[in-house]
Amino acid sequence: MKVAVIGTGYVGLVTGVVLAQLGNDVICVDKDLDKVEKLKNGIPPIYEPGVEEMLRQGLKDGFLTISDSIKEATEASEVIFIAVGTPPAEDGTPDLTAVRAVANEIAKHIMRYTVVVNKSTVPVGSGDMVEKIILSHGVDSSLFDVVSNPEFLREGSAIHDTLHPDRIVIGAKRRDAAVKLVELYATLQSPMIVTDLNSAELIKYGANSFLAMKISFINAISRICELCDANVADVAAGMGSDKRVGNQFLSAGLGWGGSCFPKDVQGMVKVSEDLGYDFGLLKEVIQINEDQTLAFIARLEERLDGFNGKRIALMGLAFKPNTDDIRDAKSLVIIDKVLAGGGEVIAYDPIAEANVREIYPSIDYATGVYELGVNADALVLVTEWNEFRQLDLERLADKMRQRVLFDGRRVYDKAKAERAGFEYHTIGSH
Ligand SMILES: NC(=O)c1ccc[n+]([C@@H]2O[C@H](COP(=O)([O-])OP(=O)(O)OC[C@H]3O[C@@H](n4cnc5c(N)ncnc54)[C@H](O)[C@@H]3O)[C@@H](O)[C@H]2O)c1
């Protein structure tokens, strides 16, 4: 099939390279000329395992083309995915400026029947909005359909998730349009849920809000565990082995961040409000998440008797392992608080350092994880990269001023850390 993908971020680029690998003729478009230039040379502008190889293969085989022209893409394609960013506006409403801009541009160049697909995460009613934009350019309604096909991939395992999705959601007003996407995805042999536009849009917000709620729920339990000397890992294992609860997304930690959960939960609250429903539960989910991080930082600050003059070493900066994405990462909150309290920060991340450097050029960055310990007053595990799991803790502790370890992701065994000379603190157990 001839396919265009507009926006070459985490979602658009992964969608593009996977569809090209499946033998479709794919044009990936971005308005950022630097990105376009890099992509043409086989260099992905984001870090995502496996993408570089697939990008190069797609370019080499000729199934993948990179362009900065929506005109070229529209003229060449039967299906056009809109995969641009929908960041939160000041009031939490998703900002649809980029979606509208792309819809306007597509509309100018539709010449034959085209299926326009919203892959970006957009509030209920956005499919109708895109349809109205295209109609406003005088395009006949028989020449196009708008379909909602929300994306559920996870950064860090995006290629795998795109090739093996738990389900594919397709929302459309007309059956023929839905069938076009069913055909495009048929080869993946994944369950498909075909529904109307509004329901498809709501599935995405509902799923992300529910997952964030699960994390906030176990984080609230972790606070209770700290108060009553219970162990949140055991509580989570006991709860999660009930199939109705399920054991995923029940790991207590510093809270959820990243480019999706914060904006989508906030978006769901706003969308509900606009429709006349006060989603109080989700407001509490957000509050618990913020409190979880701040309570952890407060414990660290109290233990060190204030941050003033203290050197805090951060292990990991990305919002989660296997990505360079730092949007709403907990590391940023910790850096802010330490610096505001008069402390110093040294940080190490295998991939995300360059992105954090753009925000904090003057904190220290270690070239390797063992350098973190030198003269540090506390070591804080922020992102649970695999390479941090089996470290030689004695070597890490060796040159520290104070051997204090705050494990924000419950990775280390307390007894082992203590044997290495650490005073060990974590979330949800003593
Ligand atoms: N990142 C994720 O894990 C993830 C998962 C599921 C859904 N989503 C959703 O998918 C959408 C995209 O997310 P992302 O993380 O890939 O965003 P991103 O910011 O990484 O990428 C968006 C890309 O769109 C490009 N762009 C913006 N306006 C454009 C225009 N007018 N024409 C052409 N290109 C344009 C930008 O230059 C950028 O490269 C968002 O709605 C997001 O909520 C993201």
Side-chain angles (χ1 to χ4, degrees):
M1 214 175 272
K2 295 189 183 313
V3 179
V5 185
I6 318 295
T8 60
Y10 294 87
V11 168
L13 183 57
V14 170
T15 303
V17 298
V18 166
L19 289 175
Q21 195 197 47
L22 296 175
N24 298 288
D25 287 317
V26 180
I27 302 189
C28 280
V29 178
D30 209 288
K31 67 168 188 180
D32 181 329
L33 298 181
D34 272 356
K35 284 189 184 180
V36 168
E37 205 43 44
K38 276 188 176 161
L39 287 165
K40 281 183 175 171
N41 289 308
I43 304 164
I46 50 152
Y47 172 79
E48 183 60 43
V51 164
E52 185 164 348
E53 295 79 354
M54 288 175 77
L55 169 66
R56 291 185 177 195
Q57 196 64 43
L59 293 171
K60 186 164 156 266
D61 296 344
F63 286 111
L64 186 62
T65 313
I66 309 293
S67 169
D68 61 358
S69 164
I70 292 181
K71 175 179 186 289
E72 181 193 350
T74 306
E75 286 171 0
S77 310
E78 306 152 68
V79 175
I80 306 177
F81 287 95
I82 304 178
V84 293
T86 49
E90 278 286 291
D91 65 350
T93 322
D95 180 350
L96 301 180
T97 309
V99 174
R100 279 194 287 267
V102 171
N104 272 303
E105 198 55 29
I106 291 172
K108 289 182 201 160
H109 306 290
I110 290 184
M111 295 185 321
R112 54 176 166 146
Y113 179 72
T114 307
V115 176
V116 179
V117 187
N118 259 341
K119 194 166 246 325
S120 297
T121 302
V122 288
V124 177
S126 301
D128 287 339
M129 178 195 80
V130 168
E131 185 181 271
K132 279 195 192 114
I133 289 175
I134 298 176
L135 288 172
S136 75
H137 285 258
V139 180
D140 193 88
S141 62
S142 65
L143 265 189
F144 77 100
D145 273 300
V146 177
V147 172
S148 166
N149 171 223
E151 181 54 62
F152 300 95
L153 64 76
R154 298 161 299 174
E155 288 176 22
S157 55
I159 296 284
H160 173 272
D161 294 348
T162 307
L163 282 166
H164 310 281
D166 287 347
R167 78 309 204 182
I168 294 166
V169 173
I170 298 168
K173 283 187 183 166
R174 284 207 294 228
R175 201 178 162 276
D176 285 358
V179 166
K180 193 87 177 159
L181 279 215
V182 169
E183 283 171 6
L184 180 65
Y185 287 127
T187 169
L188 296 179
Q189 296 187 323
S190 297
M192 297 200 204
I193 294 165
V194 178
T195 179
D196 59 275
L197 269 177
N198 287 359
S199 302
E201 288 166 348
L202 207 49
I203 286 170
K204 174 64 190 176
Y205 276 99
N208 272 7
S209 299
F210 191 85
L211 293 172
M213 180 188 73
K214 266 188 107 174
I215 301 175
S216 280
F217 193 92
I218 200 64
N219 279 339
I221 298 270
S222 81
R223 300 290 295 281
I224 299 166
C225 288
E226 288 165 15
L227 294 170
C228 70
D229 205 11
N231 187 321
V232 72
D234 294 345
V235 177
M239 285 169 56
S241 50
D242 182 330
K243 287 195 191 72
R244 294 169 303 175
V245 176
N247 56 16
Q248 292 194 43
F249 279 71
L250 276 188
S251 299
L254 282 168
W256 37 271
S259 63
C260 290
F261 282 7
K263 88 172 169 56
D264 293 351
V265 180
Q266 190 65 50
M268 183 81 204
V269 169
K270 269 307 283 178
V271 166
S272 313
E273 209 171 278
D274 293 347
L275 290 167
Y277 179 73
D278 178 10
F279 211 147
L281 172 65
L282 285 188
K283 291 180 185 163
E284 195 56 34
V285 164
I286 296 169
Q287 191 61 52
I288 290 170
N289 191 51
E290 285 170 10
D291 292 348
Q292 184 74 0
T293 321
L294 295 179
F296 181 82
I297 298 171
R299 280 171 58 201
L300 173 67
E301 187 171 17
E302 192 183 326
R303 167 59 191 83
L304 296 178
D305 215 7
F307 287 135
N308 199 13
K310 307 291 177 355
R311 185 169 171 82
I312 315 301
L314 302 188
M315 298 169 76
L317 294 165
F319 90 89
K320 68 173 185 178
N322 297 322
T323 181
D324 61 345
D325 200 340
I326 57 156
R327 290 178 277 188
D328 264 307
K330 296 300 178 186
S331 58
L332 307 182
V333 186
I334 300 175
I335 295 172
D336 269 348
K337 290 281 177 197
V338 172
L339 296 183
E344 288 172 20
V345 173
I346 178 162
Y348 172 74
D349 189 286
I351 298 288
E353 181 194 309
N355 288 338
V356 175
R357 251 184 209 279
E358 285 181 17
I359 307 173
Y360 298 104
S362 16
I363 65 168
D364 290 336
Y365 294 92
T367 48
V369 67
Y370 288 110
E371 198 188 315
L372 282 178
V374 181
N375 293 329
D377 292 286
L379 190 63
V380 182
L381 180 76
V382 185
T383 315
E384 65 278 36
W385 284 92
N386 266 343
E387 69 175 73
F388 297 156
R389 288 181 184 272
Q390 298 290 341
L391 291 177
D392 177 347
L393 292 181
E394 276 178 44
R395 189 174 157 203
L396 204 54
D398 188 38
K399 296 202 169 67
M400 288 182 71
R401 211 148 44 195
Q402 303 189 63
R403 295 181 172 190
V404 174
L405 173 57
F406 269 70
D407 181 350
R409 301 294 177 183
R410 299 187 52 88
V411 161
Y412 298 113
D413 176 64
K414 181 177 188 214
K416 204 171 157 192
E418 286 177 349
R419 277 199 302 279
F422 274 114
E423 179 191 305
Y424 181 76
H425 301 262
T426 192
I427 285 168
S429 62
H430 290 287

